[in-house]
């Protein structure tokens, strides 16, 4: 294979871009209430406009689309997988670096008692896992607002 550099200085769209949310809604019943509220907000419309649902099931493909067009990718912790399902060292943290370099937000959502940045996680095992909420500030802000409504402290955007 080969890598082809297609865009110089890749950045999230300044206006937030397309209204797209990406998550495996089959796990909806297992999520915490703020994540459920955020997904409902995306479905029903934030600012009067509903978001489109797009979920490939491959983090790289979903994040690539999110980077190009805007939106949010959510793979939260849940009752079945309280630490999330994506691997910190070779999925979460590398993608977080790319997302943040492009002006996006790479959050864990509520994980280990707080909402934090994926890039600040300290892996404790080679295959340790973490939850993921990645996207532009507009859309991650919707998730953060849902956490705030439930009394959870969130980082500044």
């Amino acid at each position: 294979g080969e890598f082809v550099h297609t865009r110089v200085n890749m950045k999230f769209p300044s206006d937030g871009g397309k209204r797209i949310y990406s998550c495996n809604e089959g796990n909806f019943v297992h999520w915490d209430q703020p994540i459920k509220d955020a997904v409902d907000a995306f479905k029903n419309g934030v600012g009067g406009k509903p978001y489109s649902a797009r979920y490939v099931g491959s983090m790289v493909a979903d994040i690539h689309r999110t980077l190009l067009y805007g939106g949010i990718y959510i793979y939260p912790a849940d009752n079945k997988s309280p630490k999330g399902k994506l691997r910190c060292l070779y999925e979460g943290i590398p993608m977080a670096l790319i997302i943040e370099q492009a002006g996006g937000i790479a959050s864990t959502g509520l994980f280990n008692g707080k909402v934090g940045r994926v890039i600040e996680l300290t892996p404790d095992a080679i295959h340790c896992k973490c939850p993921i909420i990645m996207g532009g500030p507009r859309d991650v802000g919707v998730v953060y607002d849902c956490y705030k409504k439930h009394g959870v402290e969130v980082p500044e955007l």
Side-chain angles (χ1 to χ4, degrees):
E2 83 183 71
F3 293 94
V4 179
H5 190 191
T6 60
R7 288 174 180 78
V8 177
N9 196 25
M10 182 64 165
K11 296 289 181 195
F12 270 89
S14 58
D15 65 353
K18 294 187 179 186
R19 295 173 178 266
I20 300 170
Y21 75 98
S22 180
C23 61
N24 181 356
E25 291 189 71
N27 293 324
F28 186 88
V29 298
H30 303 289
W31 296 338
D32 61 29
Q33 195 57 51
I35 294 292
K36 289 179 182 179
D37 292 349
V39 170
D40 282 340
F42 294 132
K43 289 166 124 174
N44 296 319
V46 176
K49 270 185 118 177
Y51 282 46
S52 297
R54 300 282 183 273
Y55 182 68
V56 174
S58 163
M59 181 189 195
V60 172
D62 285 319
I63 291 290
H64 182 251
R65 183 198 52 251
T66 301
L67 271 169
L68 290 178
Y69 304 117
I72 188 166
Y73 174 79
I74 305 170
Y75 209 122
D78 60 30
N79 295 334
K80 293 187 313 178
S81 303
K83 291 187 175 189
K85 290 187 88 174
L86 298 171
R87 275 49 173 215
C88 292
L89 282 173
Y90 42 91
E91 290 172 321
I93 294 171
M95 282 296 179
L97 178 66
I98 293 168
I99 290 289
E100 289 189 2
Q101 290 294 307
I105 309 295
S107 175
T108 60
L110 188 58
F111 181 54
N112 293 333
K114 67 176 189 162
V115 176
R117 294 171 63 210
V118 174
I119 204 95
E120 292 178 348
L121 292 174
T122 302
D124 59 2
I126 190 80
H127 299 298
C128 65
K129 297 177 181 180
C130 66
I132 297 292
I133 298 169
M134 294 184 182
R138 176 195 68 195
D139 303 317
V140 174
V142 171
V143 177
Y144 280 11
D145 287 345
C146 291
Y147 275 118
K148 286 180 198 173
K149 287 177 187 170
H150 287 270
V152 177
E153 191 175 315
V154 298
E156 291 295 318
L157 290 178

